[in-house]
Amino acid sequence: MRRSRGLTAALVLSLAGAGTGIGLVLMPEASAITPPVAFTADELPTWQPNGIVFAMAQANGTVFAGGTFSAVRPPDGTSGAEQEAVNFVALDAATGKPTSCKLAFTIGDGSATVRALAVSKDKKTLYAGGYFGAVNGTPVSSLAAIDIESCTPKAAFHPGFPATVRDLAVTDDTLYAAGDFGTVEGQTRERFAAVDAGSGALKPFVANADEPGRAVEVTPDGKNVLLGGDFFSVNGSNTHALAVVNATTGAVAKTYSNIPSNSVVKDIATDSTGFYTGNEGSGGGVFDGRIGLKLSDFSEKWRDRCLGATQAVLPYDGVLYSSSHAHDCSLEGQFPDGKRNFFNAQLTNYEGASPAPVDGFVRSPRKLGWHPTANDGLGEGIGPRAMTIAEKGDVKYMWAGGEFTAINGKPQQALTRFASTGDVGAPTTPVASAGSVKPGEAQVRWRTSYDADDSKLTYRIYRNGSASPIATVAAESLEWERPQAAWNDTTVKAGQSYTYRVTATDAAGNTSALSATASVTVPSSVQSYPNQVRADGANLYWRYDDTVSPYVADSSESGNTSGIQLNAPALRQTPGAISGASTAMGFNGTSQQVYSDHRQTVGSAFSVETWFKTNTTRGGKLIGFGNNTARNSGTYDKQIYMTNTGRLVFGVYNGSNRTVSTGLFDTYNDNKWHHVVGTQGPGGMELIVDGQSKGTLNVTSSISYEGFWHVGGDNLGGVPTKPTSNFFAGQIDETAVYPKALTAAQAKNHYDLAKAPSDTVSKVSATEDTYINQGAPSAANGATTSLAVRGTSAYETYLRFNLPAAPPGQVLKSAALQIKTSTQASAGTADKVSVVPVTGTWSGASTTFNNKPTLGTTPLGSFASVPDGSAVQSTPLDTAALSSVLGSSYSLALTSTGTDPLWIWSMESTAADAAPQLVLTFGPK
C-alpha cells in the first residue's frame, strides 16, 4: 500500500521576483492529482439507467450494476438508442457502455429489485441478491449465482431466501448474506445466513438478529464476519447496529453499545488498514457518518460525526471514499450546516498519533480534496448509494451508482464514473485584493481557489500587466475551507501605483482565468491608524476597501481569515471612518452580512473592534462569533450589538448571557461615525466607545466552540434588550479582532489616530495626448490609441493633465507618472526616456513635428529603460516642480536621445489601465 501524505494547512512561496511570503512554508511538488486522492472529479461519459442503482461490483474490467430500472440509455440521451436492462446492466469499465451480457431479474408478483452484488475471489462468479424470483427465466429465490464468462445463471444454485437480500460477502467457499429474511431453506436464519459458494447449500453459521441486516463483510484473514444493520441483539447478545461474529459458527465475538439507537449501519468495508462503517439515522442525536475500527481488536479508532446519511464506504490506497449527503460536519471541525456534499474522501488512518477525544470520540482524519457533486435525485432523495473500483488498460475507475440525476451540474442518472487520469477541470478564478500601509511594501491577498480534485494549487502573481509572474505561491484549500493567501511585494516605491492579477493552477496544469485587477498606491509615509491596528496584534482586520464581491480581504500582518459577503452589501461607501481614502461597507438591516470562511476557536482573552454609522431604530448585530456561516448560528456570543434605542451592548455566554451596556442616554444612532471595542481577559470584560470606557464586568470566561466571525448580522435570540432586527442597517468600517484584551489606552489611541490627518491619493488621467513623428513631419496623431518616444529619427509624446489643488491643510508629498507599454512587439526600450515640462502650446488635433511645442530643459523624472511586454511602468516626478502648478492645466513630454522606440497606450485605448496617469499623494504640512 502506498503511504499517503498528510495534508496540512501550509502555504508555500517560491519567488519569481523579490518579495516576502506571509505565513508560508515549503511543501513538496504536487503530482497530477493531489495525493493521496487517486481519482479526478471529472465525470466520464456513462450509460444511464432509467431508475435507481442499489448495488455494484466489478470483475476483469467489467462493472455490474443492479437496482430497480428497466432500461439504459447513452450519456447524451440519444433518442431511440435505449436498451432494455431489467434491474441489471453490465458495462465496460473504460468506455461506460453496456457489454453483451444481458440479465433480467424478474418476479411473478410485485416489483423485482437487485440490492446486492458480489464477485467470487477467482472472478468467475457473480452473486446477486435482492427480491426476485428468476434470472433470465431461471427460477431462483432472491439469491442467484451467474457464470461471468457465459453470462448465464447457474441453475443448480438456488438457496431459498423468502425475503429481500440486502448485502453479500464471499470467501473462497462461503457466501454470506444479510437482509430481511427469517428463514433460509426452511431453517431459522434471522437476517444473516451463510451458504456454500458453489452449491448454495445452507451452512451451520447462525447469527440471528432481531432487526434487518443491511451489511455483511468478512475480515481479511477470513476468521470473522462483520455484521451491520438495524438490530439490537445478535444471538441474544445486546449489540446495536454492528457486531463481529465467528466466520464458521456465527458466535458473537464483539458487541457495540455506542451507536445511537436511532442510527443503523448501511454499509461495511474493510482492507488492511481496518474496517469502516457507513451509518444512517434520523431524529435528534443521530449518527449519520462513518466509523473507522481496528482489525486487531475491533475497537474504534475514530468516528466521523458529519450529518447526512452515509450509504457506501470504500477504502482504497489509504483513503476512505464515501457516498452520502453530508451537510453538517461541525462536530468534525469542518463545514457547517448547509450545502450537501455527496462524495467525500478522507484518510483511513492518522499518519501520526491520533488526536485527543472530543466529547468522548476521536475525530476522523480530515477530508481530502475530492468533491464531485451530485444531487438528491429519485426515490428517497439521498444521492449516491453504491461504489466500486475497476481497472482496465492500466487506468483505474471509481464507479458510483444511486438515486442522483445530475453529476457536476450536468444531467446524469444513477451511474457515473471517475478515472485516475485525465484531470481537465481548472480551479476557480482567484479573487484578489491589494493594500499598502507603509512605504516600500504592498500586500497582495486573495481568497484561495477551489478545485474539485486538487487541494494544493499554485498561484502566480502578475504585476502591472506583465506576462511573467513576479512571484509564485502554493497554498492549500478545500471547497469549504478557503483561507486567504498573501504575498508581500517589497520592491514597490512610495507614491507609485501598482496593479496585480492572480491565477490558480492545479497539479495537472489546468489554469484559471486571471483575477480581476487589484490596484494599490503605496503611501509616502506610514498610515498611522492601520499600522497601529496591525502593530497591536490584530489577527483579523477587514478594511472594506474591496472592489469586487464576495471577498473581503484580511489586512492583518499574517492573517488568513478573509470574509465572505452575503446578499451583496454595498461596497466602497464614502467617506469611511478614518481620514484618507479608506471606504466602508453598507448593510441593509434585513439580510446582509459578512462572515469569515475560516473556522476557528477564540481563546479566553480577545477583543473585537469596529467603526459604525447609523440612524436605525431597529438595532442589530455589529460583530459577533457564531457556529454557522450563511445560516443563523445556533451557538453565538462574543458580540457587540445595538438596541432599538441606539445603546451598545457587549456580551459573552458562559452558561448565561453576561453583558456590559452603555447608559440609558448613551445612544449612538445619530448617523455619525463611532468607534467601539469590547474586550475580555484576565481582568474581566470592558466596553469602550469613542475612546471612553462605558463599563466593566468581572467575568473572565466564555463558552468555547469552533465558529466564524460575523459582521452586520447573525442570531441574537435570547440576548438582553434584544433589538427588533438581528441585522444592522448602516455602515461599518475597520473591523478588527485580537487574540488578547486591548487596554483602554490602546483603544483610545486607535480612536485618536483615526481622526488624525493622513495622506490622500489622487489619480489624474491625461485629458489630451499626442505624439509627433519626424518621418511624417506634417502628420497629427492626436486620435491614435498608442504613443511613441524615440531620439533618432524623433518621436516625442505630449500629455496634458488637469491638476487638482492640494486639499486644505495638505501639501503634495509625492508624484509619479504611470504609463503602460503597448502589445506591439518590442514596445519597450533600452534607452533612457526623460519626462520634461512642456513650455509651449500644443493640441492633440493639430500638433505635428513641424509645429511641435517648446520643452523645458530640466527633467521632472525619467525611466532608465522600459522592458518589453504590455505592462504598467511608473517613475517618480519632481514634487517641488509640480507643487507650483497645482490647480492648473499642465503638460509633460516624453523624450529620448536613443534609437530604440518606446510604444505606450494613449488615453484613447480601451486596454485595461492604459491611460497615462499622474499619481499625486497629498499629506499634512
Side-chain angles (χ1 to χ4, degrees):
M1 181 183 70
R2 181 182 69 200
R3 180 174 173 80
S4 58
R5 298 177 183 172
L7 299 181
T8 68
L11 302 178
V12 177
L13 176 71
S14 62
L15 291 180
T20 61
I22 299 177
L24 309 179
V25 297
L26 294 177
M27 72 180 183
E29 181 179 350
S31 59
I33 304 169
T34 302
V37 170
F39 305 94
T40 77
D42 302 319
E43 79 287 353
L44 295 174
T46 307
W47 278 58
Q48 309 171 66
N50 62 353
I52 299 170
V53 168
F54 289 104
M56 303 189 77
Q58 64 82 31
N60 309 316
T62 298
V63 172
F64 308 106
T68 305
F69 49 86
S70 60
V72 291
R73 63 186 185 278
D76 59 2
T78 303
S79 177
E82 188 174 272
Q83 295 183 16
E84 184 179 60
V86 183
N87 302 316
F88 175 87
V89 62
L91 306 108
D92 185 284
T95 67
K97 297 178 180 180
T99 70
S100 59
C101 178
K102 310 292 183 184
L103 297 171
F105 288 76
T106 58
I107 196 166
D109 186 20
S111 298
T113 184
V114 174
R115 292 299 178 110
L117 294 170
V119 172
S120 62
K121 300 300 182 183
D122 60 9
K123 305 297 184 183
K124 293 182 179 180
T125 303
L126 171 68
Y127 298 95
Y131 182 68
F132 46 83
V135 181
N136 284 2
T138 298
V140 292
S141 182
S142 294
L143 183 64
I146 293 96
D147 178 75
I148 292 177
E149 183 177 5
S150 64
C151 187
T152 56
K154 296 181 178 181
F157 185 96
H158 50 75
F161 282 78
T164 302
V165 173
R166 297 188 178 275
D167 199 22
L168 297 169
V170 62
T171 66
D172 290 335
D173 59 4
T174 304
L175 179 66
Y176 298 90
D180 300 346
F181 48 86
T183 62
V184 177
E185 293 291 312
Q187 297 187 43
T188 300
R189 294 291 189 275
E190 295 177 336
R191 284 85 189 192
F192 295 98
V195 299
D196 186 276
S199 67
L202 185 64
K203 288 201 166 189
F205 174 90
V206 175
N208 290 332
D210 59 336
E211 296 288 345
R214 296 181 181 272
V216 61
E217 186 61 80
V218 183
T219 56
D221 62 8
K223 296 179 179 180
N224 293 281
V225 177
L226 313 169
L227 310 180
D230 301 20
F231 52 80
F232 290 86
S233 71
V234 174
N235 288 343
S237 297
N238 292 330
T239 184
H240 175 53
L242 182 65
V244 181
V245 298
N246 180 273
T248 302
T249 66
V252 175
K254 176 75 173 180
T255 60
Y256 297 88
S257 60
N258 62 352
I259 296 176
S261 61
N262 53 352
S263 296
V264 303
V265 169
K266 296 295 293 289
D267 192 27
I268 301 175
T270 186
D271 68 358
S272 61
T273 66
F275 75 97
Y276 306 90
T277 73
N279 286 62
E280 175 186 270
S282 61
V286 70
F287 172 59
D288 257 353
R290 293 154 290 284
I291 305 175
L293 301 106
K294 302 173 185 177
L295 288 169
S296 57
D297 60 2
F298 308 120
S299 64
E300 185 171 314
K301 56 184 180 179
W302 54 257
R303 181 173 294 209
D304 186 325
R305 292 183 291 166
C306 292
L307 295 177
T310 304
Q311 303 299 315
V313 287
L314 180 56
Y316 176 74
D317 211 1
V319 173
L320 181 66
Y321 298 88
S322 58
S323 295
S324 70
H325 57 267
H327 58 85
D328 185 355
C329 282
S330 298
L331 292 174
E332 296 302 300
Q334 296 160 8
F335 51 85
D337 195 14
K339 172 183 176 290
R340 290 188 167 195
N341 296 271
F342 293 94
F343 294 102
N344 286 293
Q346 59 201 127
L347 293 174
T348 54
N349 291 326
Y350 283 95
E351 288 198 311
S354 299
V358 176
D359 299 330
F361 298 101
V362 174
R363 280 181 169 177
S364 63
R366 59 166 295 187
K367 305 294 187 297
L368 303 175
W370 184 69
H371 305 292
T373 63
N375 67 352
D376 294 346
L378 308 173
E380 296 178 47
I382 52 178
R385 282 184 168 273
M387 309 174 80
T388 193
I389 293 173
E391 183 173 357
K392 190 170 185 179
D394 295 326
V395 177
K396 299 176 180 64
Y397 299 90
M398 165 71 77
W399 280 72
E403 300 176 342
F404 53 82
T405 57
I407 293 293
N408 291 335
K410 303 171 187 176
Q412 177 68 29
Q413 183 170 340
L415 280 173
T416 191
R417 62 199 176 100
F418 312 96
S420 59
T421 61
D423 181 13
V424 297
T428 59
T429 302
V431 183
S433 173
S436 179
V437 301
K438 57 186 177 182
E441 179 183 290
Q443 189 184 51
V444 187
R445 299 81 53 109
W446 61 95
R447 186 189 188 205
T448 47
S449 298
Y450 162 63
D451 188 277
D453 44 33
D454 283 283
S455 57
K456 295 176 182 176
L457 301 175
T458 299
Y459 298 88
R460 292 177 174 84
I461 302 102
Y462 299 85
R463 187 173 76 175
N464 290 346
S466 174
S468 300
I470 190 173
T472 301
V473 173
E476 183 174 308
S477 57
L478 298 169
E479 183 184 26
W480 59 84
E481 187 176 285
R482 295 169 63 180
Q484 175 176 287
W487 176 75
N488 270 352
D489 188 349
T490 57
T491 66
V492 295
K493 297 178 181 178
Q496 298 191 26
S497 291
Y498 298 85
T499 62
Y500 300 91
R501 303 182 78 180
V502 183
T503 62
T505 303
D506 68 13
N510 303 304
T511 300
S512 74
L514 282 162
S515 70
T517 299
S519 302
V520 63
T521 300
V522 180
S524 57
S525 59
V526 173
Q527 294 183 343
S528 55
Y529 182 89
N531 190 63
Q532 193 61 52
V533 170
R534 289 156 58 106
D536 282 340
N539 59 1
L540 179 154
Y541 185 19
W542 295 343
R543 304 201 66 197
Y544 308 111
D545 295 332
D546 310 280
T547 60
V548 294
S549 296
Y551 172 60
V552 176
D554 182 356
S555 298
S556 62
E557 282 278 10
S558 58
N560 63 352
T561 308
S562 54
I564 301 301
Q565 303 162 27
L566 181 64
N567 296 322
L571 304 182
R572 300 190 65 79
Q573 303 291 288
T574 57
I578 65 173
S579 60
S582 177
T583 61
M585 184 170 283
F587 297 85
N588 62 9
T590 58
S591 63
Q592 295 170 340
Q593 63 163 298
V594 174
Y595 61 84
S596 63
D597 64 347
H598 176 58
R599 182 186 288 273
Q600 59 191 276
T601 56
V602 180
S604 58
F606 70 93
S607 300
V608 288
E609 173 183 41
T610 198
W611 288 81
F612 67 92
K613 183 173 72 171
T614 185
N615 60 1
T616 184
T617 57
R618 301 179 70 248
K621 181 173 291 192
L622 290 164
I623 182 171
F625 194 69
N627 69 341
N628 214 319
T629 52
R631 297 189 179 187
N632 248 8
S633 295
T635 303
Y636 45 94
D637 76 331
K638 303 170 184 65
Q639 57 198 4
I640 298 173
Y641 59 92
M642 178 173 280
T643 69
N644 289 349
T645 61
R647 297 173 63 196
L648 294 174
V649 182
F650 169 52
V652 301
Y653 186 83
N654 65 354
S656 62
N657 286 301
R658 311 304 298 270
T659 60
V660 183
S661 306
T662 59
L664 289 174
F665 302 104
D666 285 337
T667 57
Y668 300 93
N669 54 349
D670 55 4
N671 217 28
K672 297 179 182 179
W673 280 110
H674 294 283
H675 177 242
V676 59
V677 177
T679 74
Q680 184 179 42
M685 299 170 60
E686 185 171 15
L687 175 62
I688 305 165
V689 183
D690 293 343
Q692 301 295 316
S693 179
K694 294 297 179 178
T696 61
L697 187 65
N698 186 24
V699 173
T700 60
S701 65
S702 61
I703 186 173
S704 179
Y705 57 97
E706 294 179 329
F708 309 85
W709 288 106
H710 295 255
V711 168
D714 194 19
N715 204 348
L716 283 172
V719 302
T721 327
K722 182 183 181 301
T724 300
S725 176
N726 287 340
F727 293 89
F728 177 78
Q731 294 179 342
I732 295 178
D733 200 4
E734 301 290 327
T735 300
V737 177
Y738 304 79
K740 64 180 182 180
L742 291 177
T743 66
Q746 287 176 309
K748 186 177 188 307
N749 185 36
H750 291 189
Y751 176 71
D752 292 339
L753 287 174
K755 302 306 178 184
S758 62
D759 292 353
T760 59
V761 176
S762 293
K763 294 184 178 181
V764 184
S765 295
T767 58
E768 193 171 12
D769 57 27
T770 191
Y771 79 98
I772 55 94
N773 178 4
Q774 187 177 14
S778 300
N781 300 295
T784 59
T785 58
S786 59
L787 306 167
V789 183
R790 185 173 61 194
T792 307
S793 58
Y795 298 142
E796 287 182 1
T797 282
Y798 311 117
L799 308 170
R800 193 187 316 277
F801 299 91
N802 289 332
L803 301 182
Q810 294 191 333
V811 296
L812 184 65
K813 299 181 72 173
S814 67
L817 173 65
Q818 178 177 296
I819 59 174
K820 185 176 185 180
T821 48
S822 74
T823 52
Q824 180 174 324
S826 301
T829 180
D831 299 331
K832 178 181 178 180
V833 174
S834 296
V835 182
V836 297
V838 178
T839 57
T841 60
W842 66 280
S843 74
S846 60
T847 296
T848 68
F849 181 82
N850 289 335
N851 65 355
K852 62 182 180 179
T854 304
L855 305 182
T857 58
T858 303
L860 300 170
S862 65
F863 297 90
S865 63
V866 177
D868 288 336
S870 183
V872 174
Q873 308 295 330
S874 183
T875 187
L877 301 180
D878 187 321
T879 303
L882 288 180
S883 294
S884 64
V885 293
L886 291 175
S888 68
S889 178
Y890 188 69
S891 296
L892 304 174
L894 301 180
T895 67
S896 174
T897 59
T899 59
D900 187 12
L902 169 70
W903 289 93
I904 63 174
W905 293 118
S906 74
M907 57 177 284
E908 286 80 13
S909 172
T910 58
D913 309 311
Q917 290 188 90
L918 287 178
V919 181
L920 307 177
T921 301
F922 298 94
K925 294 181 180 179

